[in-house]
Amino acid sequence: MKTEKNREKITFFIMTGILLMTALISLAFILMKGSESGRTTVIISEGKVIGRYDLDLMEGEKRITVQPEGSRGFNEILISKEGVCITDSDCKGKDCIKTGTISHFGETIACLPNRLIITITSDDEYSGYDARTY
Ligand SMILES: [Zn+2]
């Protein structure tokens, strides 16, 4: 009788454990999916949105050279599923290149001398973006 009860207890704990694990794993999956889908990189040059790319829909790599009219400054941007980075720039500090690759929501690369901002956001944000409020 006593061993029977113990066995029930053990079974109960194991079942609870499995249920808890399953719940945690599915929660992790939901969170991961939720936070990493719909990543859109927005490229803003001199206060204007000049490009939007859905990172999750990227195939291969895309290189963009940004050089605003009447400006000598340039930035070379590399976009892929893995993220966005600036591969080359003529700015002084090269901080934008040093920033490396960004791939998560809210991350930003800024090249202040060339007035370039690259950020990762959800699809709907930045539709009415105004650089003056940045
Ligand atoms: Zn720079």
Side-chain angles (χ1 to χ4, degrees), residues 37-119:
S37 69
R39 294 172 306 159
T40 302
T41 184
V42 181
I43 300 166
I44 300 152
S45 172
E46 309 215 302
K48 274 180 249 148
V49 174
I50 58 159
R52 304 168 69 95
Y53 300 90
D54 191 323
L55 290 185
D56 298 300
L57 299 178
M58 289 297 295
E59 277 174 24
E61 295 180 340
K62 187 173 177 64
R63 285 176 190 277
I64 303 167
T65 305
V66 180
Q67 184 163 22
E69 242 177 273
S71 163
R72 277 181 299 162
F74 77 93
N75 291 83
E76 254 177 50
I77 303 164
L78 180 66
I79 306 169
S80 73
K81 235 189 185 96
E82 277 69 50
V84 193
C85 64
I86 292 181
T87 53
D88 198 9
S89 173
D90 66 341
C91 62
K92 250 190 174 174
K94 306 248 189 292
D95 287 331
C96 51
I97 300 172
K98 285 178 202 156
T99 304
T101 304
I102 57 168
S103 60
H104 301 289
F105 282 123
E107 287 184 319
T108 301
I109 304 173
C111 185
L112 296 178
N114 292 346
R115 299 185 64 198
L116 180 79
I117 296 165
I118 304 168
T119 188

